Amino acid sequence: PRDPGAAATAGHFCTRVAAVDRAVVWLQRAIVLARRAVDRVWYIRSHLRLGYLMFNLGDYEQARKLYVLASRMAARTGRRGLAGQAQHDLFTVACEVGSYEEAEDHAWKALELYPVRHPAVPFLAHDYAWLLNREGFFSSAYVLLRATLPHIAPHRRLPIPGSLARACAGVGDPEGYGAAAGG
């Protein structure tokens, strides 16, 4: 009953099965327990998980607030990977409701904070390429996606072919488009 990690895990599983009300209760409990226990890692992770839930519910402002708190705590306590994750999450919020400049700023901050060879860096590169595609910078997205693809395990590449197909279409590469689109 006093373990913030167990409460956060319960909240995570409730999120996965769309038990939203229960997920919120568990994640808020995890935050309180982590604060009481001075468990900074679970305090940060609980904010990130609750932010993820709020983001997926469309409450972008609440998600942003939770991610900012997580980012500040992670940076203050030297947890660069978690600070990078929080900035990466702030990037996704900015892609939905912010400006290109704001999103780009968060992407650069995430890249600066993630430790070298952090497993999330290739996914950040893909997400940034998605933003480049959206903004019409197809050649930059194309180069970034081609460089990123070998660094992501085949079973985790699901979103990448769609982004690559769009970039190929944007730069006028019909063969690349066909290969990326699976045709």
Side-chain angles (χ1 to χ4, degrees):
R2 293 190 181 103
D3 183 355
T9 300
H12 173 72
F13 285 124
C14 289
T15 299
R16 291 188 64 182
V17 298
V20 174
D21 294 336
R22 287 183 178 190
V24 169
V25 169
W26 277 113
L27 292 169
Q28 288 174 338
R29 179 170 177 74
I31 290 168
V32 170
L33 290 172
R35 187 181 313 125
R36 284 184 192 157
V38 194
D39 186 335
R40 291 183 175 101
V41 170
W42 277 112
Y43 184 77
I44 297 163
R45 286 184 177 163
S46 299
H47 276 84
L48 292 172
R49 289 179 182 188
L50 186 55
Y52 173 82
L53 177 60
M54 293 297 116
F55 178 85
N56 284 300
L57 292 173
D59 190 346
Y60 302 119
E61 284 311 307
Q62 184 62 29
R64 184 189 320 257
K65 289 175 187 175
L66 291 160
Y67 292 150
V68 166
L69 283 170
S71 177
R72 287 181 183 157
M73 176 60 84
R76 229 180 7 245
T77 60
R79 289 167 174 84
R80 295 180 58 84
L82 290 171
Q85 182 181 345
Q87 288 296 320
H88 192 161
D89 292 338
L90 283 163
F91 164 81
T92 62
V93 172
C95 285
E96 289 294 321
V97 294
S99 66
Y100 172 82
E101 291 78 16
E102 180 187 354
E104 186 177 52
D105 183 51
H106 288 300
W108 280 109
K109 285 179 182 174
L111 189 59
E112 289 170 5
L113 288 165
Y114 277 138
V116 176
R117 291 182 177 66
H118 191 281
V121 171
F123 297 100
L124 174 64
H126 166 265
D127 294 346
Y128 184 65
W130 177 91
L131 177 65
L132 292 171
N133 268 339
R134 187 187 79 184
E135 297 296 318
F137 302 121
F138 300 113
S139 60
S140 297
Y142 178 82
V143 170
L144 187 54
L145 288 165
R146 300 287 294 186
T148 300
L149 197 57
H151 300 285
I152 297 178
H155 70 281
R156 300 202 61 204
R157 291 182 184 169
L158 188 61
I160 295 175
S163 296
L164 185 56
R166 185 171 183 191
C168 288
V171 298
D173 177 4
E175 292 84 23
Y177 174 83

